[in-house]
Amino acid sequence: MSVDVTTVISNLWPLLHATSNADVVSTSDAELTRLISDELRKVSRTYGCFIARDTTSIIFVSGTPIYNAPPDHLSTLHIAYNGKPLTPTTTFELEALDPNYLTTAANGSKGPVQNWYSDKNGPNLIGFYPVPAAADVGLSPEVIYHIMPCGIDEAHTQTIINAPAFFGDYLEIKAMADSYRKESDLQMPEVAKTLDQLAALYEEIMKSLWGMSQ
Amino acid sequence: VADFTATVGGTVTPVGTIPHLTLGLAVTGSVGPAGVVPPPFLGVPDGGTVTPSGVVTVTIIDVAAGRVAPTGAVSASITGHNITDVESGTVSPTGAVVVSLSGIKVAGTVTPTGQVRVDSCANTLYELLVRLYERLDDPGPAAPVYYRKADAVHALNVANRLFVLLTLCIERTATFNLVNGQPFYRVADQITDFLVPLRVSSGGVRIRADRLHDLDGRDASWRNKAGSPERYAQAGFGEQGVLAVTKQPSVGVNTLTVTYAATPSALVNDSDTTEVPDEHQPALVDFAFLWCRLKEGGQELANAVEYLKKFLDDAQKYAQFVRAKSKGQLYDNVPYDLTSFDRSKFDLKLTKMKPQKLTARDLK
């Protein structure tokens, strides 16, 4: 099952006293799309419900320790290479272990690639230790990670969110709450408050059923 | 008795015709001298009286079937529904009148003088709509004034999905095919209504739920371990998440038996029924009422919040039952504990608008 943003928005029109984008007051299709997209990011980072597995994006290059994370990467859950999980570590620990951790080549005295790290490099970069060497060139580690679906756009070229149907209801609630909260002719704070609480209920359920499963 | 009532009309003689109104679908059948109207049906109270020469009033949700008395008039009218087609059926000395809509049969008993009562408890979408429109003080799904039928149907679908999410009340078991040597799967490839796993077994032996991180901790080579599956980890939203299995079978055809909490199918047609337990279906109307009233705001919304609380009470009651049952069966997931959710936050304190005092200057 998946959620189509255009369906979510068309369900919102009557709830916003409108029949379409043409007669809606104080909001628009584009604005609702942006609200939905922003909520999607918030839920992704808060509850970690969206997960992907990537085995092709990172391609080892000899002597390169740090690589771009796979697309839409939010945070890393798990990395394996050559069928074995790599151990997450920090640059602080690596510095203590090997002051030359940024250059120490794999498959030498330190053995094959066995650690990954993502601190001190900036966001969405993943480092490997020992540094991939000639034998690793062209090979890819497997990365399982939280993703942040961010392709939802106002032009509706990307409208599908891979999530159960109830998630569409949740997005409706959040977009509706924001629409009724903002200062406009449509403003009704009590409606926004009720919707916020309703959304909080969905969030508690998501936390309960999916938040701990990783 | 709900959706609409149909008085099937026509003249019944030992041989004759029954003209009917129905939902645009073919209605055929025969009427016998005395007998039975098997009414129907999917949980819709269906009732009517038949006299040897009289009127049969049948409440039809989708289909009505039966036999009508030997002689008499059968008149039919259907109210509360947008029906325009006129259909006809056959009456013969012996036989049955079968009214079928959307392939769903309504069955009941008719005696020459008597009442038809159908004892089924499931509500169809149409019945839920009727209840919702009554609460909204709107004429009804056939001719709504203030709330479009499509919006009311959507409200009931939101309620349906939320109830199922809160209670995990839809449980299914499916076979999940494994590929030899493959540790990772995407549930969506084989199960389309998956919400969370409840119990997974392989070859009749239960396999344990785990997390990816713990699989790593237990055995660094878990993804390359040949053998019968012993543990699984499922992460991510519903069917879109990642499913990891260890050990991985290496020969033969292998499957997992997955018991899972499922998402409900959307209610689309009038005759559709929800999988929410019959006794809790009125709760869907409670939530749908709130959903419809949301856009009103003010006192209307404040009043509707009470119905939301009733909905949550119902969901909590059933979720507790499912939790207890799930714990008894050592399921891998149990419903969210609604008792931990503070419902008082739904209470609305509306500020009363004070009448503005007019001053002498205002009156000038």
Side-chain angles (χ1 to χ4, degrees):
Chain A
M1 281 189 180
S2 57
V3 173
D4 190 326
V5 171
T6 55
T7 305
V8 172
I9 292 175
S10 63
N11 287 333
L12 277 167
W13 297 133
L15 295 164
L16 296 172
H17 300 272
T19 57
S20 71
N21 189 43
D23 61 356
V24 70
V25 176
S26 304
T27 187
S28 65
D29 186 303
E31 184 177 340
L32 291 173
T33 305
R34 285 190 286 273
L35 287 174
I36 289 169
S37 176
D38 291 350
E39 286 306 329
L40 202 50
R41 292 167 194 238
K42 207 180 294 178
V43 169
S44 313
R45 71 164 190 262
T46 310
Y47 304 106
C49 298
F50 296 95
I51 291 187
R53 175 172 172 264
D54 183 287
T55 57
T56 57
S57 293
I58 297 177
I59 300 172
F60 284 146
V61 175
S62 180
T64 302
I66 296 170
Y67 298 83
N68 287 323
D72 300 340
H73 175 268
L74 197 59
S75 57
T76 307
L77 279 169
H78 174 93
I79 299 182
Y81 179 55
N82 280 337
K84 287 191 175 177
L86 302 186
T87 307
T89 187
T90 64
T91 49
F92 179 79
E93 290 169 323
L94 289 174
E95 282 167 353
L97 178 73
D98 178 0
N100 300 315
Y101 73 94
L102 284 171
T103 54
T104 302
N107 309 316
S109 61
K110 299 293 182 183
V113 178
Q114 52 190 296
N115 296 94
W116 65 271
Y117 54 94
S118 59
D119 58 337
K120 291 187 185 171
N121 298 319
N124 299 323
L125 292 171
I126 300 175
F128 293 89
Y129 174 83
V131 178
D136 304 306
V137 171
L139 299 179
S140 296
E142 169 199 274
V143 184
I144 297 176
Y145 61 108
H146 290 121
I147 61 168
M148 182 182 64
C150 59
I152 305 301
D153 61 334
E154 293 91 333
H156 296 318
T157 50
Q158 165 67 41
T159 62
I160 301 298
I161 302 167
N162 289 323
F166 81 84
F167 192 69
D169 303 335
Y170 170 78
L171 292 175
E172 259 177 59
I173 290 168
K174 293 296 283 186
M176 210 182 347
D178 286 339
S179 301
Y180 279 118
R181 187 176 7 256
K182 77 170 187 177
E183 193 171 334
S184 71
D185 290 345
L186 202 64
Q187 186 180 31
M188 286 199 277
E190 74 279 13
V191 177
K193 177 181 177 284
T194 303
L195 289 164
D196 282 341
Q197 291 310 312
L198 204 51
L201 177 61
Y202 278 86
E203 287 160 1
E204 287 299 312
I205 299 169
M206 285 192 274
K207 193 162 69 176
S208 160
L209 293 179
W210 292 283
M212 297 299 291
S213 63
Q214 295 121 35
Chain B
V1 178
D3 279 323
F4 53 86
T5 57
T7 315
V8 181
T11 305
V12 177
T13 56
V15 179
T17 310
I18 301 180
H20 310 243
L21 293 174
T22 185
L23 288 177
L25 299 179
V27 178
T28 59
S30 55
V31 175
V36 193
V37 173
F41 106 57
L42 277 182
V44 180
D46 201 350
T49 53
V50 173
T51 55
S53 57
V55 178
V56 178
T57 304
V58 184
T59 302
I60 301 174
I61 289 311
D62 283 302
V63 178
R67 280 179 285 164
V68 182
T71 59
V74 180
S75 62
S77 65
I78 298 177
T79 58
H81 202 283
N82 53 345
I83 299 167
T84 53
D85 290 358
V86 177
E87 307 250 349
S88 61
T90 308
V91 176
S92 62
T94 58
V97 173
V98 179
V99 180
S100 69
L101 293 177
S102 305
I104 299 168
K105 291 198 173 181
V106 181
T109 309
V110 172
T111 54
T113 56
Q115 194 164 20
V116 178
R117 181 77 196 167
V118 177
D119 54 346
S120 169
C121 300
N123 288 137
T124 60
L125 172 61
Y126 196 84
E127 284 186 306
L128 293 172
L129 284 171
V130 168
R131 285 161 171 76
L132 176 58
Y133 275 102
E134 283 169 351
R135 196 168 295 174
L136 291 166
D137 199 20
D138 197 296
V145 174
Y146 302 110
Y147 299 90
R148 293 189 316 165
K149 186 179 173 188
D151 302 337
V153 169
H154 177 61
L156 286 166
N157 272 307
V158 174
N160 191 31
R161 287 191 284 264
L162 180 57
F163 191 94
V164 171
L165 184 66
L166 282 166
T167 60
L168 302 184
C169 63
I170 302 179
E171 211 177 289
R172 302 197 209 288
T173 298
T175 299
F176 193 92
N177 297 316
L178 298 177
V179 177
N180 289 338
Q182 181 176 318
F184 287 102
Y185 298 86
R186 198 168 152 268
V187 182
D189 293 339
Q190 298 186 43
I191 302 174
T192 55
D193 58 352
F194 185 86
L195 210 50
V196 289
L198 299 175
R199 185 183 195 279
V200 181
S201 61
S202 170
V205 178
R206 184 164 184 182
I207 67 175
R208 300 183 64 175
D210 216 330
R211 297 186 302 175
L212 286 171
H213 182 75
D214 294 332
L215 290 179
D216 286 349
R218 283 195 175 83
D219 183 356
S221 59
W222 65 266
R223 66 188 63 218
N224 295 312
K225 207 96 173 175
S228 298
E230 291 175 355
R231 289 177 185 274
Y232 78 96
Q234 199 272 331
F237 240 163
E239 74 268 31
Q240 305 294 345
V242 171
L243 174 69
V245 178
T246 186
K247 303 170 180 175
Q248 299 87 32
S250 54
V251 292
V253 177
N254 299 280
T255 59
L256 295 179
T257 302
V258 181
T259 300
Y260 62 98
T263 54
S265 305
L267 302 170
V268 179
N269 301 309
D270 285 352
S271 57
D272 289 349
T273 54
T274 170
E275 291 179 81
V276 166
D278 295 353
E279 68 273 25
H280 291 285
Q281 288 171 5
L284 303 184
V285 178
D286 291 334
F287 183 90
F289 178 70
L290 168 94
W291 190 263
C292 291
R293 283 286 200 240
L294 273 170
K295 64 179 179 181
E296 312 291 339
Q299 193 58 51
E300 283 81 6
L301 175 60
N303 293 341
V305 163
E306 296 309 310
Y307 287 96
L308 172 62
K309 290 181 179 175
K310 282 174 66 181
F311 168 83
L312 293 176
D313 286 343
D314 250 76
Q316 179 178 326
K317 205 168 285 180
Y318 198 71
Q320 283 173 340
F321 167 72
V322 177
R323 278 175 74 83
K325 183 170 70 91
S326 302
K327 284 181 177 176
Q329 295 176 325
L330 300 175
Y331 275 173
D332 299 331
N333 280 293
V334 295
Y336 168 65
D337 184 5
L338 249 178
T339 56
S340 63
F341 187 77
D342 182 5
R343 286 177 225 179
S344 67
K345 289 182 179 175
F346 281 114
D347 292 331
L348 288 177
K349 289 178 184 170
L350 299 174
T351 310
K352 284 187 178 176
M353 300 288 285
K354 290 182 180 175
Q356 203 174 12
K357 287 184 180 175
L358 296 176
T359 63
R361 184 183 297 171
D362 296 323
L363 296 172
K364 280 181 183 175

